[in-house]
Amino acid sequence: FRASAVALGQMGSDATKAITKWIGAKDHKKDIPVQSDLIHALGKTKDKTAVPDLIGLLEHKDAPLVGAAADALAEFADADLETRKKGFEGMLKVLMSAKGAKDSNLNDGIARDRYDTIASPIITSLTRLSKHDERDPDKWQNWWNKNKGKNWDEDK
């Protein structure tokens, strides 16, 4: 199943519907590695119609799948600015929400584990989409507030 997921990702936009159908499908819903491979494959298609589904997956209950969705969104680094901004905004909201949950209760191990799992793939993907580099989520939020209305490709 995992090899099939990877192969589907190489087929481009022709495979988008098939991949989307299998993400969360009953037969493989609990198989995190297969689900992760399917999500990565969806990004590999570079089909812009998949972006809303990937943004939706950022809210998944399983943190590894949130990380996979962030990795998949990074595949759109060469997409048009509007597509990149949509992905960026979705990831930033999830990152800041997870950071808020972690910071509001230092004894909440579940929130800390979730943040620790998703922060790195999201921050890496934010960098790829914006072509700007930060490591601190608060600095990313400040950068977004200053640059969300600007053309990110102008000075590059």
Side-chain angles (χ1 to χ4, degrees), residues 58-86:
L58 293 170
E59 300 290 339
H60 200 281
K61 66 179 179 60
D62 292 316
L65 299 186
V66 174
D71 288 340
L73 283 164
E75 294 291 337
F76 292 88
D78 295 326
D80 60 274
L81 187 58
E82 182 182 349
T83 301
R84 290 175 15 229
K85 284 184 178 184
K86 282 180 188 172

Side-chain angles (χ1 to χ4, degrees), residues 31-114:
D31 190 339
I32 300 297
V34 168
Q35 291 297 305
S36 181
D37 287 344
L38 286 164
I39 293 167
H40 281 108
L42 192 56
K44 293 278 184 198
T45 67
K46 298 186 194 274
D47 183 350
K48 290 193 296 186
T49 64
V51 170
D53 290 323
L54 291 170
I55 291 171
L57 286 164
L58 293 170
E59 300 290 339
H60 200 281
K61 66 179 179 60
D62 292 316
L65 299 186
V66 174
D71 288 340
L73 283 164
E75 294 291 337
F76 292 88
D78 295 326
D80 60 274
L81 187 58
E82 182 182 349
T83 301
R84 290 175 15 229
K85 284 184 178 184
K86 282 180 188 172
F88 186 101
E89 184 176 24
M91 287 188 289
L92 185 61
K93 283 180 183 176
V94 169
L95 178 65
M96 296 310 290
S97 174
K99 182 181 182 299
K102 172 188 73 100
D103 292 348
S104 69
N105 183 354
L106 299 175
N107 296 322
D108 186 348
I110 294 171
R112 187 174 42 257
D113 288 347
R114 182 173 182 82

Side-chain angles (χ1 to χ4, degrees), residues 12-33:
S13 61
D14 292 340
T16 302
K17 284 184 182 176
I19 295 168
T20 304
K21 183 179 104 175
W22 283 103
I23 293 174
K26 192 170 107 179
D27 293 348
H28 302 285
K29 191 174 192 167
K30 293 183 179 172
D31 190 339
I32 300 297

